[in-house]
Amino acid sequence: MPVIRIKLSGLWISLMLTYLLGDVLRIFSGDFNAGEISGMEISQAMYLGMVVLMVIPILMVFLSLTLPEKATRWANLILAIFFFVFNLIGLPTYPSLYDQFLIIVGLGFNILTVWYAWKWKIGDTQ
């Protein structure tokens, strides 16, 4: 198995742990009110949307190791760019410095994912 697959999978794990750390800190700091976002009640459709969005990096851990090489490369490129743009747009909406810092760290993981996927020489065993 090419080492690049393990690196890409590791980057998705790192991204998810960064998201998780932000969620945990938000709860413990009191920046989170159960059942609402920005004072608006969360609907079942919103919860479903959040779950779908956050399952993507979890799936990418597995898919980076198992998809055919070209599919893995393109999935990593497209989804890392998507999450980069999504989080860049959302960055100003996080008032806490710890959240902003973690979003920036996540953006770094997205950049590394794009870099590794872009530089991947398909068929290379390293």
Side-chain angles (χ1 to χ4, degrees):
M1 173 177 296
V3 173
I4 187 70
R5 287 180 176 270
I6 296 167
K7 289 179 181 179
L8 291 169
S9 186
L11 283 164
W12 287 108
I13 291 168
S14 299
L15 182 66
M16 276 309 303
L17 289 173
T18 303
Y19 290 161
L20 181 61
L21 177 59
D23 292 342
V24 169
L25 287 175
R26 237 174 277 118
I27 291 167
F28 282 109
S29 71
D31 291 345
F32 173 79
N33 294 320
E36 66 178 49
I37 294 178
S38 301
M40 183 175 65
E41 186 176 339
I42 303 173
S43 69
Q44 289 297 309
M46 291 170 71
Y47 278 121
L48 179 60
M50 288 185 275
V51 166
V52 168
L53 189 65
M54 290 298 98
V55 162
I56 292 170
I58 295 168
L59 287 172
M60 285 306 295
V61 173
F62 174 73
L63 294 177
S64 292
L65 297 170
T66 60
L67 283 175
E69 288 183 343
K70 283 187 180 183
T72 302
R73 181 177 192 233
W74 284 107
N76 275 277
L77 284 168
I78 291 166
L79 291 171
I81 290 169
F82 167 78
F83 275 96
F84 182 88
V85 171
F86 181 83
N87 284 311
L88 191 62
I89 290 169
L91 182 60
T93 67
Y94 290 97
S96 302
L97 289 177
Y98 69 85
D99 248 335
Q100 292 175 2
F101 175 76
L102 289 172
I103 293 292
I104 291 168
V105 170
L107 293 173
F109 289 136
N110 295 141
I111 290 168
L112 285 172
T113 302
V114 169
W115 173 259
Y116 280 120
W118 185 258
K119 292 293 185 178
W120 186 3
K121 294 176 182 150
I122 301 297
D124 190 4
T125 59
Q126 291 295 320

